[in-house]
Amino acid sequence: MASVLPFADLPPRTDVWRGDSLAAPSLPGIASGFAQLDAELPGGGWPVGALIELYAEAEGIGELSLLAPALAQLAAQDMWIACIAPSWLPYAPALAAQGIDLARLLIVRPRSHAETLWAARQAIASQACSAVLCWLARADMQSLRRLQLAAEASPALAVLFRPAHEARQASPAVLKLRLQARLDGLALHILKRRGAPLAAPILLPQLQCMARALPHLTEPIPMAGHHDLAGTASARPAATGLHPC
Amino acid sequence: MTWLALHLPGLPLQVCTRADGSAEIPIAVFSQAGASPPSGGRAGGSRVVAANPRALAAGIHPGLGLASALALAPDLVTRPREVRGEAALLTELACWAAQFTPQIALDPPDCVLLDVGASLKLFGGIGELMQRIAHAVAALGLELALAAAPTPLAARWLAVCGGGRIVERLDELPARLAPLPVGVLECAADARGTVKAESIALLEAIGLSTIGQCLHLPRDGLAKREAQAVTCALDRALGRLPDPRPPFVPPQLFRSRIELPLPSADADPLSFAARRLLAALAGHLAAHQSGIEHFRLQLEHDEQPATTLTVHLGVISRDEARCGLLAREHIATLRLAAPVTAVALEAAQILPLPGESRTLFGTLEGARPGREQAEARTLLVERLRARLGDGAVGGIVPHADHRPERAWQPVAPRESRSTVAPPDHCLPPRPLWLLPEPQPLARSDTLQLVAGPERIEAGWWDGFDVARDYHLALGPQHQLLWVFRELRDGESWFVHGIFG
């Protein structure tokens, strides 16, 4: 009888990964531009050929800045960067300042939720996009599954932005991140990845809110001294009442 | 010389059935009352001219009265015969066949003759060519009987009597034509006169049933009985008399139309019919070495004006698959007021598009990876536009203006790389997101101002005058906002952007 091989001695396969280590996908990931994050992502960056979901606790806390270095790198390719149903207007001067070639940017504004899903699937499956960013207000398992299947055969970086309250929903995405803004930076909770779960969030001080606005400053501006807007002192935080367009 | 005859058996029926791939429903075509009755039928009343296999199985045969046919099969779909539609279909087939040879002759009512002698080498012989045509014609939704012979008339006769036969040499002809029935003489019409029905009846009456038997008849005997046309036709078929055919000149404008067997408002049957038409268009374009940038589909309704769709391809192309895909997207978004009875395709602007040479191993010459990608890029944009509308897809460019609303412009998705200079980095930071409209802040909103102000005051000259002090402000959930104070009243605050 043949001796039993220890599991560790089995020949490595890309489609099998051990729970205590990160998977080694066949395609290397796209460097995110943040070393702390790359170290924790299988493939050393944003995975391609897979669906990525980002759950921001509030819209506008830095989810686009998180992707900006990767997008700037992808914009060098001769393919579209598709933004499907973005919440607001992507602002051309700021994107250009991030180094994203605007000639590659394709902004799609579907009229309904069904059209958003359709457009996302077409863009992912088209082989003509280097990145597909899609803002989804809600999603069901079936449509996510379709997107994941399309992504598996696609060279595109496929990112879905979803509301944070849906983060606990089951999803076929291979990478799920929850984004939380803190005073000392942007905290990324990895909810799901191909590899061991990560207990502590990754903190990206580069994406601290002031640093995002003023990247040339090395020292974050100290957060002190409340200036009141209209002269009425009020300490309680209140919703700013921003409505997505 | 090698002539290839493309014969359309049951043409009156094919005109109605080509838009439907299935033979699920029994269909019969009847001639209008008063029109000449089919041979053997009595004059007067509507008579069945052709019927599909389902109808034949129900016992309906050509020549049957319409009322009797309906009694046999109550679910029979009946269509009036459309002689004009048959002629148009023959022209369409000729246009499509122009991709195989430039020498084409129409042989009405139901045959197209191709002189393929000069094209044999290119297509690898007559057998190969016939297979290729038989395979390609399926996309048109037509059924063909093909036969090849050294003379046009012999090719026609062979095709009428069942396709697939090839005669390569002139001296084989008498032997190969001999078994054909004398009935084929009917289709020997030319400018010099036709073989009359009486002459054929005469031959049958004296006990002749095949062409071979006719070949043994004495010429002068036939002449005495006013049947010279028979000798003349036989001589033309055997190549003893010249048989010139007027060349077919394809029309410059492509227009074609399909009647649906049953009126429909579903996207699937409509796209199917459109694909049939587009296949014909692709052949026509290939023959002209040309392409189109857009085409028009007209969906005709009963008692209502037709719905017109204009489909843009994004590039000059004659790619059938691309046209079909875009047509389907357009049809899928339609809200039709009434069921469609017929689909018409029109391509008015035909532009030159030379073919691409291939290398020894079959790949396109000069094929760069970028080229395929550029194709995929335009196709994606056109697909999205087709489904979502022209305005739903676009790009943005920075614009040299200090007012945030004017510092960018929407543009059509561009193909070339950006030539706009990157904006000045000396400006204070700008947010990644701009709100479509500045949103007023209520007095109860508490934000922490962290940087600013930056005064933007411009535009008094063009009616969009702004005077604002912009600040960076920290929102309740640590969003960084771009807010401004309106300087006109000094009081009201607005959010204008978010540093996403």
Side-chain angles (χ1 to χ4, degrees):
Chain A
M1 193 178 139
S3 62
V4 178
L5 275 174
F7 181 71
D9 292 351
L10 287 175
R13 287 177 55 117
T14 54
D15 49 351
V16 174
W17 45 270
R18 291 171 51 138
D20 60 351
S21 63
L22 290 182
S26 49
L27 286 172
I30 297 160
S32 69
F34 303 99
Q36 309 100 298
L37 179 61
D38 284 348
E40 295 297 342
L41 293 178
W46 298 115
V48 288
L51 214 52
I52 303 167
E53 288 181 348
L54 298 185
Y55 299 88
E57 293 208 326
E59 280 194 280
I61 57 171
E63 65 272 28
L64 205 53
S65 308
L66 177 65
L67 287 171
L71 294 183
Q73 188 190 331
L74 289 172
Q77 290 179 26
D78 223 10
M79 295 163 99
W80 293 120
I81 291 177
C83 293
I84 297 163
S87 313
W88 299 293
L89 302 170
Y91 192 45
L95 289 167
Q98 292 273 1
I100 298 170
D101 184 355
L102 293 173
R104 300 273 74 95
L105 202 65
L106 190 68
I107 294 168
V108 185
R109 297 199 171 277
R111 286 158 298 195
S112 68
H113 181 65
E115 281 188 353
T116 306
L117 289 169
W118 176 84
R121 204 167 74 240
Q122 296 307 322
I124 293 174
S126 68
Q127 311 283 324
C129 296
S130 58
V132 179
L133 315 181
C134 179
W135 281 259
L136 279 180
R138 59 177 198 279
D140 56 274
M141 192 63 182
Q142 196 188 0
S143 37
L144 290 175
R145 192 134 211 101
R146 282 199 196 130
L147 291 179
Q148 164 69 16
L149 280 176
E152 276 169 19
S154 162
L157 175 71
V159 185
L160 301 182
F161 295 92
R162 302 184 55 195
H165 63 83
E166 291 197 349
R168 290 187 163 274
Q169 251 183 35
S171 148
V174 300
L175 182 66
K176 287 170 78 170
L177 293 181
R178 189 159 62 86
L179 278 59
Q180 190 187 21
R182 290 199 201 158
L183 274 182
D184 50 353
L186 188 70
L188 306 178
H189 300 264
I190 298 189
L191 304 178
K192 180 181 178 186
R193 62 172 175 177
R194 285 189 170 148
L198 193 69
I202 304 166
L203 191 69
L204 298 179
Q206 301 97 310
L207 293 182
Q208 195 257 353
C209 53
M210 282 317 296
R212 266 189 281 133
L214 309 163
H216 50 276
L217 293 183
T218 45
E219 285 290 311
I221 291 178
M223 300 283 175
H226 279 255
H227 301 259
D228 202 87
L229 277 185
T232 53
S234 162
R236 75 191 153 88
T240 46
L242 300 177
H243 302 292
C245 60
Chain B
M1 224 191 281
T2 307
W3 287 85
L4 191 59
L6 314 184
H7 173 238
L8 289 157
L11 180 61
L13 183 68
Q14 291 208 32
V15 171
C16 336
T17 54
R18 71 184 284 226
D20 185 18
S22 61
E24 290 294 306
I25 36 172
I27 303 175
V29 177
F30 63 90
S31 63
Q32 306 279 21
S36 63
S39 55
R42 291 181 305 274
S46 297
R47 310 229 147 246
V48 172
V49 189
N52 75 345
R54 264 309 269 273
L56 290 175
I60 292 160
H61 58 86
L64 197 67
L66 190 59
S68 326
L70 284 169
L72 281 171
D75 59 339
L76 184 72
V77 175
T78 54
R79 310 298 305 238
R81 180 172 183 182
E82 285 202 45
V83 180
R84 210 181 296 162
E86 288 170 29
L89 182 58
L90 203 64
T91 312
E92 191 187 318
L93 180 66
C95 287
W96 172 84
Q99 58 188 308
F100 301 107
T101 172
Q103 318 256 7
I104 300 172
L106 293 184
D107 197 354
D110 54 4
C111 197
V112 175
L113 294 166
L114 314 181
D115 179 1
V116 293
S119 317
L120 290 183
K121 198 158 185 176
L122 176 64
F123 290 102
I126 185 73
E128 284 280 316
L129 179 59
M130 280 168 72
Q131 268 183 12
R132 194 167 169 146
I133 292 180
H135 184 73
V137 85
L140 297 184
L142 296 176
E143 205 182 306
L144 279 190
L146 296 166
T151 64
L153 196 54
R156 167 88 195 256
W157 286 356
L158 289 166
V160 168
C161 297
R165 278 177 264 195
I166 304 173
V167 180
E168 292 200 23
R169 295 209 322 271
L170 206 55
D171 54 2
E172 289 175 31
L173 266 181
R176 297 291 298 274
L177 292 183
L180 302 186
V182 285
V184 295
L185 284 169
E186 216 181 359
C187 25
D190 81 336
R192 282 160 296 181
T194 53
V195 179
K196 290 182 210 136
E198 298 94 76
S199 307
I200 297 171
L202 171 79
L203 295 175
E204 280 168 347
I206 59 175
L208 301 181
S209 58
T210 63
I211 295 290
Q213 290 165 333
C214 294
L215 288 175
H216 294 299
L217 292 178
R219 287 165 168 269
D220 53 346
L222 279 173
K224 263 183 215 156
R225 286 163 185 81
E226 294 192 348
Q228 304 98 314
V230 173
T231 350
C232 190
L234 289 173
D235 282 347
R236 282 192 289 140
L238 296 176
R240 291 172 195 155
L241 272 183
D243 189 4
R245 300 280 173 156
F248 167 74
V249 182
Q252 268 305 315
L253 177 95
F254 183 91
R255 187 181 281 151
S256 177
R257 182 170 173 278
I258 281 194
E259 290 240 356
L260 299 181
L262 294 172
S264 166
D266 282 350
D268 280 346
L270 296 182
S271 326
F272 187 82
R275 275 211 302 280
R276 296 279 202 231
L277 294 170
L278 289 168
L281 174 63
H284 176 84
L285 293 176
H288 281 78
Q289 302 210 345
S290 50
I292 44 167
E293 203 278 315
H294 67 273
F295 59 87
R296 271 225 304 272
L297 276 177
Q298 280 199 323
L299 310 176
E300 296 170 16
H301 313 284
D302 271 340
E303 299 171 358
Q304 280 204 25
T307 313
T308 305
L309 284 179
T310 305
V311 179
H312 288 270
L313 300 181
V315 289
I316 298 175
S317 165
R318 55 168 170 261
D319 184 359
E320 195 183 321
R322 183 187 194 115
C323 297
L325 196 73
L326 292 174
R328 211 183 68 198
E329 298 299 353
H330 276 275
I331 290 172
T333 56
L334 273 184
R335 287 180 178 278
L336 289 167
V340 176
T341 53
V343 181
L345 170 69
E346 192 182 294
Q349 256 190 338
I350 294 181
L351 307 162
L353 175 72
E356 285 151 340
S357 27
R358 288 177 183 270
T359 59
L360 184 59
F361 299 107
T363 49
L364 280 176
E365 202 170 326
R368 313 181 301 275
R371 176 205 168 86
E372 224 167 79
Q373 241 166 39
E375 280 277 295
R377 276 206 313 273
T378 39
L379 183 62
L380 174 67
V381 171
E382 289 308 322
R383 277 195 85 171
L384 293 173
R385 275 184 162 172
R387 178 73 75 101
L388 310 177
D390 276 350
V393 186
I396 45 173
V397 283
H399 184 241
D401 199 314
H402 286 290
R403 292 164 290 178
E405 287 94 339
R406 301 280 173 98
W408 66 282
Q409 280 178 339
V411 287
R414 280 171 308 156
E415 275 311 292
S416 56
R417 299 213 136 253
S418 161
T419 49
V420 180
D424 195 353
H425 283 282
C426 303
L427 281 177
R430 292 283 179 258
L432 283 169
W433 294 116
L434 195 71
L435 303 189
E437 290 286 323
Q439 295 226 351
L441 279 167
R443 292 181 75 88
S444 58
D445 294 338
T446 306
L447 300 178
Q448 184 191 352
L449 296 184
V450 289
E454 174 196 357
R455 178 155 300 179
I456 295 179
E457 195 163 3
W460 50 266
W461 55 87
D462 63 2
F464 183 62
D465 189 3
V466 300
R468 300 162 175 173
D469 268 351
Y470 277 88
H471 295 262
L472 303 187
L474 199 57
Q477 283 158 306
H478 301 296
Q479 305 115 307
L480 196 62
L481 307 175
W482 204 36
V483 299
F484 68 83
R485 189 163 63 122
E486 185 59 62
L487 290 178
R488 297 262 175 274
D489 57 9
E491 279 295 310
S492 42
W493 286 79
F494 295 86
V495 181
H496 204 186
I498 299 167
F499 288 81

